Amino acid sequence: MLDQLTSYLHTQGLTPGAANSQLWALIYILVVFGGVSGFVMVINWGERKMLAHFQIRLGPMRVGPHGLLQPIADALKLFTKEDVIPEGADKGIFWAAPVWVVLTGFTTLLVVPFGLSHAVTDMNIGILYMLGISSLGVLGIIMAGWASNSHFPLLGSLRASAQMVSYEVAMGLAIVSAILMTSFTEGWNGTGTLSMIQIVEAQRIQGIWFAFKFFPLGFIAFVIFAIAMVAETNRSPFDLPEAESELVAGFHTEYSGLRWSLFMLAEYAGMVAVSSIATTLWLGGWMRPFPNLLSGPSWDLAFSLVPALLVLFLAGVTIRQALKMPTHPALRANKIGMLILGLIIAGVAFILFLPPVFHRTTDILWFCLKIGFFMYLYIWYRATFPRYRFDQLMRVGWKVLLPLALGVLIVTGIVGLRAEIWAWSVQVAAAIATWARGLFA
Amino acid sequence: MRDETTLTNHLMDDTDDWGEKRRTVLDADELILNMGPQHPSTHGVLRVILKLDGEKILGTECVIGYLHRGVEKIGEHRTYTQFAPYVDRMDYVAAVSNGLGYCEAVEKLLNVEAPPRAQYIRVIMAELQRIASHQVWLGTHALDIGAMTPLFYTFRDREEILKIFEKYCGARLTTHMFRIGGCQYETYDGFEKEVKRFCDFVEPKIGEYEALLTTNRIWVERTKGIGILNGDDCKALGVTGPVLRAAGVKWDLRRAQPYEAYSKFEFDIPVGEHGDTYDRYLVRMKEMYQSLRIIRQAIDNIPEGPIMAKVPKIIKPAVGEVYHSIEAPKGELGYFIASDGSTQPYRMRIRPPSFVNLQGLDKMVRGMLMADVVAVIGTLDIVLGEVDR
């Protein structure tokens, strides 16, 4: 029994799936789902706070210090709300739609490599699996729009289906060009890979993140993906399916309470999923930045401390903010709570400094940092851009991104195989020369 | 062959001019969509019935009256003085302009004129109100198109105007600032300095809004060529204000029929070219700069003297009628007052710019997409309090 429990811990560099340890796979699933749900709560607070600061507001300030408990209050409110199903709605489908959306949103996360061995499982078709499952999510949105039996959701879900289907094409082509880059790895005999972990490995062996490979080709593909993924997750400026000023709330107009919160959960889980694809394919997954420029064991050590230092910095900010709070009886609970939170974060930071811990978690933290970068971009877009109109959105997808992605794919192939193409053309030229010489001889 | 412009507004009638059932592009049923009166971007309680073919607009019909309070009828049952605060509640985003128009109309009826100092104060306040109104328009218009941040920036800067109003007369929104025959209050100490400081404060801020939007690709795509209303259409529909000027018609009542002290100031009338949403946006942005120009001139040249003309305590105009209109932020705001010689008007009729401008909606959005409806409602800058009265 104990052997079974600990057997996975001895297999270094294997995911629980690959090590065939179902127990640990289950544990990983729980950790990933719990972690992402927690992250959604944090990013929910963070989005409201950041958006507020973009817009010269304070954002949530009442529930807990700096509104830190706001997501919990929101969740409580949503869970205790009346469960409304409209009279004319198709009850079964109406009920199933949010469940379906959450299911697909979270299932994609199974193959996300948070570290070399920190994925639930490593599939040899990992990226294909992610794309496939995440595109099933649109089905839930169509179900929601259709089952609501209302005009605004119907229009919203029609928009959603058209938008997600068309942006998947450009997205897929951008992904293919990244996968093509994996096939240029030395010692892989020209075979690429679809496995999420192997894609990062390829970047490690090639010593370059794919966003910078064949500059600017990789970067263009990355940018295409970064645009398409915003459209894919229905976020501003491509948030047409839930365009607030046009369609009230789009496909989830008729939803409220728990079901509505499931849609929100799925949306944020989807954001995490596509961000992790972008991180894995172009930003070196769990690897630290500048592996070539700043190499050597001392740099390795310095960089592996960065995430822990960041957590410590966060703790410092929290404690400083707590101390800055005005001394007023009404704020005492807030102040103490904030101080305790700061100390907890500081404690986490110190645990992260322990050598056995940070060696195992540093890659996870780097991965999360990169996802956080994308989350910040999402919020930044939302604060800055107006919304595209439907036909313009389609035009951008089909007439700009798709040809561009196709072109990048072709050029990447040519550039990657330039040695072979050169050798082949020399051979052909030589053959023609021989043939011509024979003519005149 | 079916010309879309021949579509009648009887939206439920799905037969064409030959009595056959209409067919849409995909041979699908047309969708009747009720936009409003509870909708985030119909600027209050406007209800637009849309006839849609997918996302395409086949026709619209506005249903108004959800905010009808019978302002005109109330006017006939109040004395001239009592009615003045009511007009503030029509266009509550530009209450000062409403009050200005009403006071001037009654003054015209009484044949009195406000003293020069009062006229200057009125001009300053009305132009400040124009800037505030345009700021509200910009914020909500941008919000409708999906840019949520400008709203907060414009409201931050509008706050400074409201502070000046509050300091001057005690109220921020429905100010009831002017009295028949002049102003009730003398300016407070440091008024000139404060207004000047505001002008210097807000000028770069307007540049800030423009930096966010004017060259923004998405903004330009969403507004250029959308909701075109050319000069002839505007004249036919009676549309006035920035919407008319954006169509290239140089018609501004401040210049065409100068009232108050407007003939003494130098200012340009910004005009557009194509009469589309983008031009209307540019015209209003330029108008804010022109308003600042007027305010600066007025502050520099404000004369000393009384602020009230000699007006009897009980206003009893002679039998007669008067129509007086001013250039409100949204267009021509006209008051028709018929007097029977008593203390109350015999008939009060108000020509609100929003109500007339709203008539352009159907013409502007036909053949456009669903998302353009909110952009066009935003660009018309309607206030439902004024539409319904």
Side-chain angles (χ1 to χ4, degrees), chain A residues 54-57 151-152 155 159 237 244-248 382-383 385-392 395, chain B residues 31-33 39-41 55 144-149 152-153 156 216 218 221-222 226 369 371-372 374:
Chain A
F54 275 117
Q55 296 168 344
I56 47 170
R57 299 183 282 126
H151 288 166
F152 286 116
L155 282 170
R159 283 181 177 189
E244 190 198 339
S245 57
E246 297 150 28
L247 299 182
V248 188
R382 192 174 163 203
F385 291 130
R387 186 180 300 115
Y388 264 113
R389 207 176 57 195
F390 188 61
D391 57 330
Q392 293 162 350
R395 206 185 58 223
Chain B
L31 183 72
I32 305 284
L33 186 66
H39 187 278
S41 53
E55 290 253 336
D144 287 348
I145 294 189
M148 49 198 316
T149 308
F152 295 95
Y153 292 176
R156 168 194 62 188
N216 185 324
I218 304 176
E221 278 193 33
R222 279 301 302 275
I226 304 301
L369 296 181
D372 296 328
V374 291

Side-chain angles (χ1 to χ4, degrees), chain A residues 432-441:
Chain A
I432 291 172
T434 324
W435 173 71
R437 210 178 291 139
L439 273 185
F440 293 111

Side-chain angles (χ1 to χ4, degrees), chain B residues 311-382:
Chain B
V311 176
K313 278 254 153 46
I314 296 166
I315 295 171
K316 268 178 123 173
V319 179
E321 55 183 52
V322 69
Y323 176 78
H324 182 72
S325 58
I326 63 159
E327 185 72 27
K330 291 161 182 75
E332 179 184 342
L333 171 67
Y335 289 87
F336 170 82
I337 304 173
S339 164
D340 58 355
S342 69
T343 54
Q344 295 168 351
Y346 175 73
R347 174 75 173 102
M348 168 77 69
R349 162 79 190 147
I350 300 159
R351 182 218 186 269
S354 298
F355 174 71
V356 181
N357 289 359
L358 187 58
Q359 312 310 312
L361 180 71
D362 184 62
K363 179 116 190 128
M364 287 155 96
V365 298
R366 217 166 253 211
M368 298 271 167
L369 296 181
M370 164 96 192
D372 296 328
V373 178
V374 291
V376 167
I377 292 175
T379 190
L380 281 174
D381 192 14
I382 50 162

Side-chain angles (χ1 to χ4, degrees), chain A residues 135 137-145 152-168 231-234 238-243 247 250-252 390 393-394, chain B residues 55:
Chain A
S135 56
V138 73
L139 188 58
I141 290 175
I142 297 172
M143 280 157 70
F152 286 116
L154 181 65
L155 282 170
S157 68
L158 283 175
R159 283 181 177 189
S161 48
Q163 169 181 343
M164 290 167 95
V165 166
S166 29
Y167 271 77
E168 243 152 42
E232 185 72 13
T233 45
N234 300 333
F238 305 111
D239 56 345
L240 301 166
E242 47 197 280
L247 299 182
F251 61 87
H252 55 58
F390 188 61
L393 173 99
M394 283 298 165
Chain B
E55 290 253 336

Side-chain angles (χ1 to χ4, degrees), chain B residues 19-320:
Chain B
E20 284 168 18
K21 197 170 187 304
R22 277 208 191 91
R23 291 285 170 215
T24 52
V25 177
L26 288 173
D27 205 21
D29 288 339
E30 286 158 356
L31 183 72
I32 305 284
L33 186 66
N34 257 310
M35 206 167 142
Q38 288 92 19
H39 187 278
S41 53
T42 51
H43 289 221
V45 285
L46 174 66
R47 174 171 164 221
V48 187
I49 306 173
L50 299 171
K51 189 171 192 176
L52 297 171
D53 171 17
E55 290 253 336
K56 200 174 159 198
I57 311 285
L58 297 179
T60 66
E61 190 172 293
C62 288
V63 183
I64 59 169
Y66 291 95
L67 206 58
H68 179 65
R69 291 150 297 172
V71 171
E72 290 173 2
K73 199 69 191 165
I74 293 172
E76 291 158 19
H77 293 269
R78 297 283 180 281
T79 64
Y80 288 93
T81 330
Q82 278 176 337
F83 183 58
Y86 283 92
V87 296
D88 285 356
R89 273 78 181 166
M90 293 193 313
D91 181 358
Y92 38 79
V93 184
V96 173
S97 306
N98 288 327
L100 178 69
Y102 175 71
C103 289
E104 276 184 11
V106 180
E107 280 163 20
K108 211 166 168 182
L109 197 60
L110 288 170
N111 216 357
V112 295
E113 198 179 61
R117 185 173 171 81
Q119 290 194 7
Y120 270 70
I121 293 173
R122 282 178 172 188
V123 166
I124 292 167
M125 290 306 182
E127 292 306 313
L128 282 174
Q129 183 71 84
R130 188 183 309 278
I131 295 173
S133 169
H134 281 359
Q135 279 172 334
V136 173
W137 156 77
L138 178 66
T140 49
H141 182 39
L143 186 68
D144 287 348
I145 294 189
M148 49 198 316
T149 308
L151 179 80
F152 295 95
Y153 292 176
T154 55
F155 271 69
R156 168 194 62 188
D157 305 335
R158 175 173 172 265
E159 189 66 22
E160 301 303 317
I161 298 175
L162 298 187
K163 272 182 198 159
I164 292 174
F165 287 173
E166 191 178 10
K167 238 175 167 178
Y168 175 70
C169 69
R172 289 155 54 87
L173 201 66
T174 45
T175 47
H176 190 205
M177 199 176 266
F178 308 131
R179 300 293 181 270
I180 296 160
C183 309
Q184 190 180 3
Y185 309 108
E186 183 51 82
T187 54
Y188 56 88
D189 289 344
F191 171 77
E192 285 90 345
K193 220 167 124 192
E194 206 152 286
V195 173
K196 264 188 170 171
R197 202 190 304 140
F198 166 75
C199 291
D200 297 338
F201 161 80
V202 86
E203 200 154 14
K205 302 288 185 199
I206 300 172
E208 206 172 273
Y209 320 146
E210 290 215 62
L212 263 174
L213 298 173
T214 305
T215 52
N216 185 324
R217 224 189 120 87
I218 304 176
W219 178 262
V220 173
E221 278 193 33
R222 279 301 302 275
T223 52
K224 239 184 196 159
I226 304 301
I228 295 174
L229 201 62
N230 59 35
D232 293 338
D233 291 338
C234 286
K235 284 178 200 160
L237 288 162
V239 169
T240 48
V243 184
L244 175 69
R245 289 194 284 278
V249 183
K250 210 167 184 172
W251 176 257
D252 189 325
L253 288 173
R254 289 176 291 176
R255 184 58 60 73
Q257 321 171 345
Y259 52 95
E260 298 298 342
Y262 276 110
S263 52
K264 292 172 192 150
F265 304 122
E266 268 182 32
F267 62 97
D268 299 331
I269 303 169
V271 286
E273 214 176 311
H274 313 290
D276 58 4
T277 304
Y278 189 66
D279 276 4
R280 287 188 279 273
Y281 160 76
L282 288 181
V283 163
R284 287 199 178 97
M285 296 310 272
K286 284 179 196 152
E287 268 183 18
M288 285 201 234
Y289 288 114
Q290 294 304 325
S291 291
L292 285 176
R293 210 169 136 197
I294 296 172
I295 294 168
R296 286 204 171 106
Q297 290 173 44
I299 283 286
D300 287 339
N301 303 319
I302 189 162
E304 292 296 320
I307 52 162
M308 256 323 249
K310 283 212 178 335
V311 176
K313 278 254 153 46
I314 296 166
I315 295 171
K316 268 178 123 173
V319 179

Side-chain angles (χ1 to χ4, degrees), chain A residues 368-384:
Chain A
C368 291
L369 272 183
K370 287 171 185 174
I371 288 182
F373 163 72
F374 284 108
M375 290 294 152
Y376 181 74
L377 279 188
Y378 270 120
I379 295 161
W380 194 359
Y381 295 156
R382 192 174 163 203
T384 311

